Amino acid sequence: MRRVWRSRKALKGVTQWVLDWGVPMAVGLGVLFIFAIRAHSPGSVYGAFTLLNPPPGHVVLLWVASLLGWLLVPAIIGGFAGHVIAERISRVKSISTNTIFRQRRLRQRIRFPGLIDDLTSYFHGTYAQQGFVDVWVRIAHRNDWSRAQDHWEVFIRDTMSTQQYAHLDRHECLRQAQNTGRFTLKFTALSSGSCIVCERRR
Protein backbone atom coordinates (compact mmCIF):
# COMPACT_ATOMS: atom_id res chain seq x y z
CA MET A 1 0.00 0.00 0.00
CA ARG A 2 2.90 2.34 0.75
CA ARG A 3 4.36 1.74 -2.73
CA VAL A 4 0.96 2.47 -4.32
CA TRP A 5 0.65 5.78 -2.47
CA ARG A 6 4.19 6.90 -3.33
CA SER A 7 3.83 5.84 -6.98
CA ARG A 8 1.07 8.46 -7.43
CA LYS A 9 3.80 11.05 -8.02
CA ALA A 10 4.13 9.71 -11.55
CA LEU A 11 0.68 11.15 -12.30
CA LYS A 12 0.06 14.58 -13.80
CA GLY A 13 -0.97 17.61 -11.75
CA VAL A 14 -4.77 17.39 -11.82
CA THR A 15 -4.91 13.63 -11.28
CA GLN A 16 -2.40 13.88 -8.45
CA TRP A 17 -4.39 16.74 -6.85
CA VAL A 18 -7.57 14.66 -6.99
CA LEU A 19 -5.83 11.83 -5.09
CA ASP A 20 -4.05 14.12 -2.60
CA TRP A 21 -6.89 16.55 -1.84
CA GLY A 22 -10.01 15.76 -3.85
CA VAL A 23 -10.70 12.30 -2.43
CA PRO A 24 -10.20 13.32 1.26
CA MET A 25 -12.42 16.39 0.74
CA ALA A 26 -15.11 14.29 -0.94
CA VAL A 27 -15.01 11.78 1.94
CA GLY A 28 -15.28 14.62 4.48
CA LEU A 29 -18.23 16.18 2.64
CA GLY A 30 -19.86 12.76 2.34
CA VAL A 31 -19.61 12.20 6.11
CA LEU A 32 -21.02 15.68 6.73
CA PHE A 33 -23.91 14.98 4.36
CA ILE A 34 -24.74 11.68 6.06
CA PHE A 35 -24.85 13.24 9.53
CA ALA A 36 -26.76 16.29 8.29
CA ILE A 37 -29.35 14.07 6.55
CA ARG A 38 -29.87 12.21 9.82
CA ALA A 39 -30.68 15.55 11.46
CA HIS A 40 -32.90 16.87 8.65
CA SER A 41 -34.35 15.90 5.27
CA PRO A 42 -32.09 15.17 2.26
CA GLY A 43 -33.73 17.98 0.28
CA SER A 44 -32.94 20.54 2.98
CA VAL A 45 -29.31 19.45 3.13
CA TYR A 46 -28.94 19.59 -0.65
CA GLY A 47 -30.63 23.00 -0.80
CA ALA A 48 -28.39 24.39 1.94
CA PHE A 49 -25.21 22.99 0.39
CA THR A 50 -25.98 24.30 -3.11
CA LEU A 51 -27.16 27.65 -1.67
CA LEU A 52 -30.62 27.22 -3.20
CA ASN A 53 -32.29 27.59 0.19
CA PRO A 54 -31.22 29.06 3.52
CA PRO A 55 -30.44 26.53 6.25
CA PRO A 56 -33.72 25.79 8.07
CA GLY A 57 -33.89 26.18 11.83
CA HIS A 58 -30.86 26.06 14.06
CA VAL A 59 -29.31 22.80 12.84
CA VAL A 60 -25.56 23.43 13.12
CA LEU A 61 -24.64 20.80 10.51
CA LEU A 62 -26.83 22.50 7.89
CA TRP A 63 -25.12 25.82 8.56
CA VAL A 64 -21.74 24.09 8.20
CA ALA A 65 -22.90 22.51 4.92
CA SER A 66 -24.10 25.91 3.68
CA LEU A 67 -20.80 27.57 4.60
CA LEU A 68 -18.76 24.82 2.90
CA GLY A 69 -20.95 25.05 -0.18
CA TRP A 70 -20.41 28.80 -0.30
CA LEU A 71 -16.63 28.57 0.21
CA LEU A 72 -15.49 25.29 -1.35
CA VAL A 73 -17.65 24.58 -4.38
CA PRO A 74 -16.91 27.79 -6.38
CA ALA A 75 -13.26 27.71 -5.31
CA ILE A 76 -12.75 24.08 -6.38
CA ILE A 77 -14.62 24.40 -9.67
CA GLY A 78 -12.95 27.73 -10.54
CA GLY A 79 -9.50 26.54 -9.48
CA PHE A 80 -9.84 23.26 -11.36
CA ALA A 81 -11.03 24.96 -14.56
CA GLY A 82 -8.34 27.63 -14.27
CA HIS A 83 -5.59 25.03 -13.80
CA VAL A 84 -6.74 22.98 -16.80
CA ILE A 85 -6.96 26.06 -19.05
CA ALA A 86 -3.57 27.39 -17.88
CA GLU A 87 -1.96 23.99 -18.47
CA ARG A 88 -3.40 23.74 -21.98
CA ILE A 89 -2.26 27.25 -22.87
CA SER A 90 1.26 26.72 -21.51
CA ARG A 91 1.65 23.42 -23.36
CA VAL A 92 0.56 24.70 -26.79
CA LYS A 93 4.21 25.15 -27.78
CA SER A 94 5.77 22.93 -25.15
CA ILE A 95 6.42 19.38 -26.36
CA SER A 96 8.81 17.11 -24.56
CA THR A 97 11.52 15.60 -26.75
CA ASN A 98 10.58 12.21 -25.29
CA THR A 99 7.04 12.45 -26.67
CA ILE A 100 7.72 14.07 -30.03
CA PHE A 101 6.23 12.15 -33.00
CA ARG A 102 4.83 9.56 -30.60
CA GLN A 103 1.22 8.46 -30.94
CA ARG A 104 -0.60 7.56 -27.75
CA ARG A 105 -3.44 5.08 -28.14
CA LEU A 106 -6.52 5.00 -25.95
CA ARG A 107 -5.25 1.92 -24.09
CA GLN A 108 -2.08 3.82 -23.13
CA ARG A 109 -4.08 6.81 -21.91
CA ILE A 110 -6.42 4.88 -19.61
CA ARG A 111 -3.91 2.30 -18.36
CA PHE A 112 -3.16 2.55 -14.65
CA PRO A 113 0.31 3.80 -13.71
CA GLY A 114 2.88 1.28 -12.60
CA LEU A 115 4.29 0.85 -9.12
CA ILE A 116 7.74 1.70 -7.81
CA ASP A 117 9.78 -1.48 -8.05
CA ASP A 118 10.01 -3.87 -5.14
CA LEU A 119 13.73 -4.41 -4.57
CA THR A 120 13.26 -8.08 -3.67
CA SER A 121 12.41 -8.71 -7.33
CA TYR A 122 15.88 -7.39 -8.26
CA PHE A 123 17.54 -10.20 -6.31
CA HIS A 124 16.81 -12.63 -9.18
CA GLY A 125 16.60 -9.96 -11.90
CA THR A 126 19.10 -8.84 -14.52
CA TYR A 127 22.80 -8.48 -13.81
CA ALA A 128 22.41 -4.69 -13.54
CA GLN A 129 19.54 -5.05 -11.07
CA GLN A 130 21.47 -7.55 -8.96
CA GLY A 131 24.49 -5.24 -8.92
CA PHE A 132 22.38 -2.28 -7.85
CA VAL A 133 20.53 -4.08 -5.07
CA ASP A 134 23.78 -5.54 -3.76
CA VAL A 135 25.38 -2.10 -3.46
CA TRP A 136 22.22 -0.32 -2.26
CA VAL A 137 21.26 -2.86 0.41
CA ARG A 138 24.62 -4.30 1.48
CA ILE A 139 26.80 -1.18 1.38
CA ALA A 140 24.46 1.81 1.75
CA HIS A 141 22.10 0.22 4.30
CA ARG A 142 24.20 -2.49 5.96
CA ASN A 143 21.82 -5.29 4.85
CA ASP A 144 18.72 -3.53 6.23
CA TRP A 145 16.24 -4.49 3.49
CA SER A 146 13.29 -2.65 5.03
CA ARG A 147 15.11 0.68 5.24
CA ALA A 148 16.65 0.20 1.79
CA GLN A 149 13.19 -0.35 0.26
CA ASP A 150 11.75 2.64 2.12
CA HIS A 151 14.54 4.99 1.04
CA TRP A 152 14.38 3.70 -2.56
CA GLU A 153 10.67 4.56 -2.69
CA VAL A 154 11.28 7.99 -1.12
CA PHE A 155 14.01 8.80 -3.64
CA ILE A 156 11.87 7.76 -6.64
CA ARG A 157 8.80 9.57 -5.30
CA ASP A 158 10.69 12.83 -4.83
CA THR A 159 12.53 12.47 -8.14
CA MET A 160 9.23 12.13 -10.00
CA SER A 161 8.05 15.37 -8.38
CA THR A 162 10.86 17.45 -9.92
CA GLN A 163 10.37 19.82 -12.85
CA GLN A 164 12.33 17.75 -15.39
CA TYR A 165 9.71 14.98 -15.23
CA ALA A 166 6.67 17.29 -15.39
CA HIS A 167 5.97 16.81 -19.12
CA LEU A 168 6.49 13.05 -19.21
CA ASP A 169 3.78 10.46 -19.55
CA ARG A 170 3.08 8.77 -16.20
CA HIS A 171 4.61 5.45 -17.33
CA GLU A 172 7.64 7.15 -18.89
CA CYS A 173 8.02 9.29 -15.76
CA LEU A 174 8.22 6.24 -13.49
CA ARG A 175 10.54 4.37 -15.88
CA GLN A 176 13.01 7.23 -16.28
CA ALA A 177 12.96 8.09 -12.57
CA GLN A 178 13.85 4.50 -11.67
CA ASN A 179 16.57 4.27 -14.33
CA THR A 180 18.09 7.52 -13.07
CA GLY A 181 17.67 6.39 -9.47
CA ARG A 182 19.50 3.11 -9.98
CA PHE A 183 22.47 4.85 -11.59
CA THR A 184 22.64 7.74 -9.11
CA LEU A 185 22.14 5.71 -5.94
CA LYS A 186 24.62 3.02 -6.96
CA PHE A 187 27.28 5.62 -7.81
CA THR A 188 26.84 7.52 -4.52
CA ALA A 189 26.75 4.30 -2.49
CA LEU A 190 29.99 3.10 -4.08
CA SER A 191 31.77 6.46 -3.76
CA SER A 192 30.67 7.43 -0.24
CA GLY A 193 29.37 4.15 1.19
CA SER A 194 26.15 5.83 2.30
CA CYS A 195 22.62 6.61 1.19
CA ILE A 196 21.50 10.05 -0.02
CA VAL A 197 18.19 9.80 1.86
CA CYS A 198 19.96 8.77 5.08
CA GLU A 199 22.33 11.75 4.76
CA ARG A 200 19.53 14.25 4.15
CA ARG A 201 17.45 12.95 7.06
CA ARG A 202 20.18 13.32 9.67
Side-chain angles (χ1 to χ4, degrees), residues 13-70:
V14 173
T15 314
Q16 195 179 124
W17 182 89
V18 168
L19 289 176
D20 285 348
W21 295 99
V23 172
M25 289 169 64
V27 170
L29 290 175
V31 170
L32 174 65
F33 253 72
I34 291 170
F35 280 99
I37 286 171
R38 293 179 66 182
H40 222 276
S41 66
S44 299
V45 177
Y46 177 77
F49 183 75
T50 56
L51 306 179
L52 295 174
N53 302 315
H58 298 286
V59 182
V60 176
L61 288 176
L62 291 180
W63 283 95
V64 172
S66 176
L67 182 63
L68 288 177
W70 180 65

Side-chain angles (χ1 to χ4, degrees), residues 180-196:
T180 303
R182 283 192 293 268
F183 176 79
T184 305
L185 296 176
K186 183 177 180 180
F187 177 78
T188 54
L190 285 172
S191 60
S192 65
S194 62
C195 159
I196 295 176

Side-chain angles (χ1 to χ4, degrees), residues 11-168:
L11 299 170
K12 294 282 184 171
V14 173
T15 314
Q16 195 179 124
W17 182 89
V18 168
L19 289 176
D20 285 348
W21 295 99
V23 172
M25 289 169 64
V27 170
L29 290 175
V31 170
L32 174 65
F33 253 72
I34 291 170
F35 280 99
I37 286 171
R38 293 179 66 182
H40 222 276
S41 66
S44 299
V45 177
Y46 177 77
F49 183 75
T50 56
L51 306 179
L52 295 174
N53 302 315
H58 298 286
V59 182
V60 176
L61 288 176
L62 291 180
W63 283 95
V64 172
S66 176
L67 182 63
L68 288 177
W70 180 65
L71 290 174
L72 287 181
V73 174
I76 292 173
I77 293 174
F80 187 84
H83 174 77
V84 171
I85 292 170
E87 278 289 309
R88 291 298 177 188
I89 291 173
S90 67
R91 290 174 57 190
V92 167
K93 291 287 186 179
S94 175
I95 301 175
S96 172
T97 53
N98 295 303
T99 59
I100 195 168
F101 308 131
R102 184 179 297 176
Q103 181 181 7
R104 290 181 62 200
R105 294 181 170 80
L106 179 62
R107 183 173 61 85
Q108 294 172 309
R109 292 177 183 272
I110 63 175
R111 190 177 62 174
F112 286 106
L115 296 179
I116 298 172
D117 289 345
D118 184 0
L119 293 182
T120 55
S121 65
Y122 284 13
F123 193 73
H124 298 290
T126 63
Y127 180 77
Q129 290 174 338
Q130 290 177 8
F132 165 71
V133 81
D134 176 61
V135 171
W136 179 245
V137 177
R138 182 174 57 83
I139 297 176
H141 292 95
R142 311 301 184 263
N143 291 320
D144 188 343
W145 276 88
S146 178
R147 195 155 59 102
Q149 178 68 39
D150 179 41
H151 290 183
W152 161 252
E153 293 171 11
V154 168
F155 183 87
I156 299 304
R157 178 200 66 190
D158 292 349
T159 301
M160 290 190 296
S161 299
T162 56
Q163 189 64 36
Q164 68 189 85
Y165 294 92
H167 295 291
L168 293 178

